[in-house]
Amino acid sequence: MRLELVAIGDELLKGGVVNTNLFFLSRALSFLGYEVKGQTVIGDERIEEGLKTVWTRSDVVIVTGGLGPTLDDKTKKAVGLLLQKKLVVDQKVKKRLLKRGLQGAVLESLSKKPQGALVLPNFCGSAPGLVMLKPKGALILLPGVPEEMEALFDQAVAPFLKKHFPLKKRFFQEEIQLCQISEAEVDPQLRKFKLKRPDLRIGIYPHLATLRVVFSLESSHEKKARALLSGFKKKLEKAFFPYVFQAQSGDLAEALKDIFVQKKLTLALAESCSGGALGAALTSVPGASKYFLGSLVTYANELKTSLLNVRPKTIQKYGAVSLETAEEMLQGIFLTTTADFGIALSGIAGPGGGTRLKPAGTLCLAYGLRGKKAQLKKLFFPFERKLFVKYAVSFALSLLWVKIKAL
C-alpha cells in the first residue's frame, strides 16, 4: 500500500508556520507500522492540481489544512472538483454546530462536505474530518490546527486505517540515542549490521552534540522482528556505553533529570557565555526542581569574583575564558550552594572579542563532584553567536550525562 501525506497552506510554503502536522503524522503512522512514501506541501491556489498528482499515484492520502470557514480554506471545494462531487450540507454536522452557537456563513461552510464523504466528528474544534473512499483506497481530510488534527488522528483515523487497511507486513523499529558520538564513529558498526541483515533499514540523525539511530524492519512476524532489532540495539549500546541515553522526548535534559533523581544527587551551574541558557534547558523539563538547585549567571568579571570567588589575579593572568577561571567558577558554585555536582562554562560567543590564541568560538568548561578533582574541557565551536550557545549548552549536557552515568 502506498500512503502519502499532504499539508495545505500558503503559510507553510512561506515559512510563516512550522509544519508540525507532517512530523506528527509520520511518527504516528510509523508507530502503527505504516510506511509513509511521500510528503507534499501545496499552496492554497493549487490544491486541486497538487492533490490530483498525489491521489493518482497513492492508495491512501492524508491531507491536513484548509477545512475551516474562512476565505483561504479551499480544500473541500478543491476535493469536490477533483472527484467531481458536489458540496452538500451534512445535517448531523450542522445540528452539532448549531448547539455550539455557530450560525450564518460559518455554519454553512463548516457543515458542507463532498457528496458521499464519511464524517469524522471533531470534538476538539469545529471543522470535522472527512473520508472519501475509492476501491482499495481513501482520501482522508483533517483540520490543520495541530491539536484538533492530532486528536482526530488518534480517535478516528488510526482505528479506520487498522480496520480498512490492515497490514500483512508492518514496519517495526528500535531507536538508540547517543551523545558526543559522531556519524563517522557509529557508521562502521552500522555497516556490520547491514551486512548481516541487508533488509535492515538504518537512519542516522545528528543534532548538535547528540545522535539518534533508528533501526527498522518490515516483517509479518512481530516477535522475530522485535527480537532482531533489540539485538542490534543492545550491541550498539554496549559498544558506546556510557554515551547512550534514553528520553521519550529525545531531549538529553530529560535523561539528566531522571538519572540525577535516581541517584539522589543535586546540581548547580555557573554560567557566563551561555547567559542562563543551560539552566533554561534543564528547567524546561517538568520535575527539574527535584535535583536542580539553580544557576549563577556571572557574565561580568566583577560578578565572577564577587559571587563565585574567582580570584582577580586568575582572570588577569589567564583571562575570563580559560580553564583556570572555569575551574574556580566551579569551586565557587560549590561554596555558594549545597550541590553535589556542578558545571561551569565560560567562552567567547563572538563575533567579536576573540584573539589569535583565543578566537571566537572558544569554550572552557569545568565540571565534577563536590570534593573531587574537577574535569576540564576546552572546545572550539566556530559558529555564529546563537548557534555557538546552542552547541555550548548541548555539549555541557552531554558532559554531565557521561560523567554521571559512569558513577
Side-chain angles (χ1 to χ4, degrees):
M1 180 186 74
R2 184 177 178 88
L3 187 156
E4 293 198 47
L5 306 177
V6 175
I8 305 293
D10 286 346
E11 70 278 8
L12 299 174
L13 293 172
K14 295 175 181 177
V17 174
V18 177
N19 195 347
T20 60
N21 284 349
L22 295 188
F23 172 79
F24 169 85
L25 287 171
S26 293
R27 285 185 68 93
L29 289 162
S30 177
F31 179 78
L32 294 174
Y34 293 91
E35 182 181 19
V36 175
K37 297 290 187 179
Q39 295 183 352
T40 305
V41 179
I42 303 173
D44 295 326
E45 303 303 322
R46 300 186 62 185
I47 301 175
E48 182 184 357
E49 176 188 349
L51 280 181
K52 184 178 181 180
T53 301
V54 179
W55 181 238
T56 53
R57 71 187 182 209
S58 301
D59 302 301
V60 175
V61 179
I62 302 177
V63 183
T64 71
L67 298 183
T70 58
L71 58 89
D72 62 339
D73 291 313
K74 304 175 181 179
T75 300
K76 285 190 289 189
K77 182 179 179 181
V79 169
L81 292 171
L82 173 64
L83 302 181
Q84 298 181 339
K85 299 285 186 180
K86 293 191 302 180
L87 294 185
V88 297
V89 172
D90 186 290
Q91 294 301 328
K92 288 184 178 179
V93 172
K94 187 173 183 179
K95 185 178 180 180
R96 182 175 67 85
L97 295 177
L98 273 169
K99 289 181 178 179
R100 297 183 55 185
L102 297 179
Q103 54 187 329
V106 170
L107 175 64
E108 290 300 313
S109 176
L110 290 172
S111 300
K112 286 183 178 180
K113 67 176 185 179
Q115 195 169 26
L118 304 176
V119 174
L120 305 177
N122 182 354
F123 298 107
C124 294
S126 52
L130 299 168
V131 178
M132 273 65 69
L133 294 170
K134 68 174 181 179
K136 299 181 180 180
L139 177 62
I140 302 171
L141 307 181
L142 298 175
V145 179
E147 294 79 9
E148 297 179 28
M149 183 277 299
E150 292 173 16
L152 258 177
F153 180 88
D154 292 336
Q155 294 164 6
V157 177
F160 174 85
L161 291 174
K162 290 178 182 178
K163 179 179 178 180
H164 295 279
F165 302 96
L167 295 170
K168 293 180 181 178
K169 287 186 176 183
R170 59 167 290 191
F171 275 88
F172 301 93
Q173 71 176 40
E174 280 281 2
E175 179 178 303
I176 183 171
Q177 298 157 325
L178 303 164
C179 62
Q180 291 189 46
I181 299 296
S182 68
E183 294 173 271
E185 289 172 300
V186 79
D187 186 67
Q189 186 69 43
L190 298 179
R191 289 180 182 273
K192 293 177 183 178
F193 296 163
K194 188 70 174 175
L195 285 173
K196 290 181 180 179
R197 190 76 190 216
D199 59 338
L200 178 69
R201 298 189 184 186
I202 303 174
I204 310 173
Y205 310 103
H207 179 67
L208 300 177
T210 63
L211 185 73
R212 189 166 62 95
V213 179
V214 178
F215 301 116
S216 58
L217 192 67
E218 186 179 22
S219 176
S220 57
H221 303 287
E222 179 175 357
K223 191 173 181 180
K224 290 182 180 179
R226 292 199 182 280
L228 182 69
L229 294 174
S230 178
F232 287 131
K233 180 180 179 179
K234 288 178 180 177
K235 287 181 180 179
L236 205 61
E237 287 176 337
K238 184 177 179 181
F240 290 100
F241 181 86
Y243 304 100
V244 180
F245 70 95
Q246 187 171 358
Q248 188 173 0
S249 65
D251 189 347
L252 192 50
E254 179 187 334
L256 279 168
K257 186 266 291 186
D258 292 339
I259 197 168
F260 265 93
V261 171
Q262 176 191 335
K263 291 180 178 288
K264 298 181 180 179
L265 294 173
T266 55
L267 171 70
L269 315 174
E271 298 185 67
S272 182
C273 62
S274 53
L278 181 55
L282 295 173
T283 55
S284 68
V285 179
S289 61
K290 294 178 180 178
Y291 80 100
F292 180 55
L293 302 185
S295 176
L296 287 180
V297 182
T298 55
Y299 205 69
N301 288 344
E302 61 188 87
L303 288 187
K304 289 181 177 69
T305 57
S306 63
L307 295 181
L308 294 173
N309 294 306
V310 176
R311 294 174 297 172
K313 66 178 183 180
T314 300
I315 296 176
Q316 292 168 3
K317 183 175 181 179
Y318 300 104
V321 179
S322 63
L323 294 177
E324 290 79 6
T325 295
E327 185 173 12
E328 291 193 14
M329 289 171 65
L330 176 64
Q331 298 308 321
I333 205 68
F334 284 139
L335 286 172
T336 309
T337 73
T338 59
D340 303 305
F341 206 98
I343 185 167
L345 59 164
S346 183
I348 306 171
T355 66
R356 183 178 64 82
L357 295 178
K358 291 181 184 177
T362 300
L363 177 67
C364 294
L365 305 104
Y367 59 101
L369 278 166
R370 175 183 294 274
K372 302 291 184 180
K373 185 177 180 181
Q375 290 193 260
L376 308 177
K377 195 84 173 178
K378 188 174 184 179
L379 301 162
F380 182 57
F381 298 124
F383 310 120
E384 58 87 24
R385 188 178 184 86
K386 289 183 178 179
L387 187 56
F388 167 84
V389 172
K390 287 182 179 180
Y391 265 96
V393 168
S394 187
F395 209 91
L397 293 174
S398 72
L399 288 174
L400 284 170
W401 171 260
V402 173
K403 180 65 176 178
I404 199 75
K405 184 73 174 177
L407 290 179

